Amino acid sequence: LFNAVDSDGNGMLNKSELKQLLIKACPPSRKVREADVAFVLEKCDVNGDDCIDINELGLAVACWLEVIKTMPDPGAAEEKKSSACVLL
């Protein structure tokens, strides 16, 4: 999974690559926002280089799976609102 999203092959996931990882590790219905990427990076970037390396990968994935499990998808609420607006 790491190598699949490490598009430049430098052994670190930048914000864009991390977002791709989060997208692959969540249900298709969940939208991955920039705030999600920032949250995982803040919690899991142990060495402070603003990237996720292979040693931080397990922590990042575990953190993201916990977010998916415990926090509602803010995009789902927005979609419901916009659908209701269309009906009006």
Side-chain angles (χ1 to χ4, degrees):
L1 186 59
F2 187 91
N3 291 335
V5 296
D6 183 16
S7 58
D8 58 10
N10 69 351
M12 299 184 300
L13 303 182
N14 62 32
K15 290 177 184 175
S16 174
E17 293 167 332
L18 178 58
K19 184 173 184 177
Q20 292 307 308
L21 176 90
L22 301 183
I23 290 169
K24 290 180 181 291
C26 74
S29 61
R30 176 149 186 137
K31 306 287 186 238
V32 177
R33 302 169 302 130
E34 296 305 317
D36 296 323
V37 175
F39 177 81
V40 172
L41 199 54
E42 176 186 333
K43 298 296 181 189
C44 304
D45 179 22
V46 177
N47 63 11
D49 63 358
D50 206 33
C51 292
I52 296 296
D53 62 36
I54 193 72
N55 297 318
E56 299 162 331
L57 178 65
L59 181 60
V61 171
C63 177
W64 180 236
L65 293 176
E66 188 64 23
V67 167
I68 292 171
K69 186 170 77 172
T70 60
M71 297 177 73
D73 180 2
E78 289 177 16
E79 286 178 17
K80 288 180 184 175
K81 283 183 197 174
S82 63
S83 297
C85 292
V86 171
L87 294 175
L88 294 176

